[in-house]
Amino acid sequence: MTDYAEEQRNELEAIESIYPDSYTVLSDEPISFTITVTSDAGENDETVEATLKFTYVEKYPDEPPEWEIFSRENLEDGDEEEILTLLQQQVCAVSGLHLLTVPLLAEENLGMVMIFTLVTAVQEKLNEMVDQIKNRREEEKVRQEREAEEAEKVAFQGTVVTIENFLAWKARFEMEVAEIRRRRQKDEEQAGKLKLTAGNNVEVDESLFQDIDDLDLDEDDPDFNPLEGSDED
């Protein structure tokens, strides 16, 4: 008869010695713990990290442990799904349907302690993801350079004239011309009103002309000069 408790204790001792800085016990009943897995540094010293949480079931290792991603760093949702799928592939599910969908390695893992195997698989996967991050960054750089080149070509060539954008430009141009004419006409009308108002405000002293008939003007005299005699003094 398998002594599950002893096998579990032995594995925990081995895990603590292998991962002294990343292994943390969460509870003793049921036995639950985390192991933080960090990738190797990438080209620019970037890393990705996943903290895996494992919980022993009563009959582990004859039955697979429970697991989840406790926390993560620099991983996207799609990356997390890949890790969970990887773990699923490394352990054997109880139902026969799952036995048909997992690789033989998973079936072989049942009956043996497997935490080290699972963590090692995740470690390798994270290293692959660092390389994928590098590839994604290079692809993004190429995409940005391509977009910059296209933008430069458009700026150099100008806007391609089509019927649609020509008609739109023509409509805007006609509206602008009509607005300029309307303002000019308004200014001219206002200027005309100002001139008319100024003319109506001229005051004439009519008394200057009241005694004009009393003046002794000999207009029939060919030598008549109205300016002569004005300085009688």
Side-chain angles (χ1 to χ4, degrees):
M1 180 177 178
T2 303
D3 188 346
Y4 297 114
E6 182 179 359
E7 289 201 31
Q8 293 170 12
R9 285 195 300 270
N10 292 337
E11 183 179 42
L12 290 176
E13 291 177 0
I15 290 173
E16 187 175 7
S17 64
I18 296 173
Y19 307 105
D21 299 326
S22 58
Y23 166 74
T24 303
V25 176
L26 299 179
S27 68
D28 294 326
E29 186 62 38
I31 296 175
S32 180
F33 56 91
T34 61
I35 299 176
T36 300
V37 187
T38 306
S39 70
D40 296 335
E43 185 179 56
N44 297 319
D45 293 330
E46 70 273 11
T47 60
V48 294
E49 182 177 286
T51 298
L52 308 176
K53 176 183 176 182
F54 296 100
T55 302
Y56 285 158
V57 297
E58 182 180 358
K59 294 184 179 181
Y60 173 81
D62 283 343
E63 294 180 4
E66 298 175 355
W67 70 86
E68 64 181 89
I69 295 180
F70 194 70
S71 64
R72 67 185 188 183
E73 286 188 15
N74 300 329
L75 288 175
E76 300 177 359
D77 292 340
D79 298 330
E80 182 174 342
E81 290 299 323
E82 286 190 40
I83 293 173
L84 293 174
T85 300
L86 175 66
L87 291 171
Q88 180 65 44
Q89 292 173 345
Q90 297 300 314
V91 298
C92 179
V94 176
S95 67
L97 177 62
H98 287 159
L99 286 174
L100 297 176
T101 60
V102 297
L104 292 177
L105 177 60
E107 185 176 356
E108 293 173 356
N109 283 335
L110 285 181
M112 299 185 299
V113 292
M114 64 182 73
I115 300 301
F116 176 78
T117 301
L118 299 179
V119 173
T120 299
V122 172
Q123 175 76 61
E124 294 175 354
K125 187 65 176 179
L126 292 182
N127 291 339
E128 293 177 5
M129 289 179 174
V130 169
D131 293 335
Q132 292 174 0
I133 290 175
K134 174 187 174 182
N135 294 336
R136 285 198 294 261
R137 287 178 177 174
E138 291 178 350
E139 291 173 358
E140 179 64 17
K141 181 180 179 181
V142 172
R143 184 187 65 81
Q144 292 178 352
E145 291 176 350
R146 185 181 299 112
E147 289 180 353
E149 291 177 358
E150 292 297 329
E152 185 176 355
K153 288 180 180 179
V154 171
F156 177 77
Q157 295 176 353
T159 303
V160 178
V161 178
T162 63
I163 295 177
E164 290 78 8
N165 59 31
F166 172 76
L167 293 177
W169 169 85
K170 184 174 181 292
R172 291 195 302 270
F173 176 75
E174 291 176 347
M175 290 178 61
E176 292 174 358
V177 171
E179 178 64 17
I180 292 173
R181 289 176 176 172
R182 185 187 67 79
R183 292 180 180 178
R184 183 179 298 171
Q185 182 178 0
K186 183 178 180 180
D187 293 342
E188 291 176 352
E189 291 176 354
Q190 290 179 348
K193 289 180 180 180
L194 290 175
K195 291 180 180 179
L196 180 60
T197 302
N200 292 338
N201 289 336
V202 175
E203 296 182 0
V204 179
D205 188 358
E206 297 180 356
S207 64
L208 296 176
F209 304 97
Q210 289 178 356
D211 300 330
I212 193 169
D213 294 334
D214 297 335
L215 296 177
D216 185 12
L217 301 177
D218 191 1
E219 296 180 357
D220 295 333
D221 186 354
D223 296 327
F224 170 73
N225 185 350
L227 296 179
E228 291 181 358
S230 61
D231 297 330
E232 295 181 356
D233 296 339

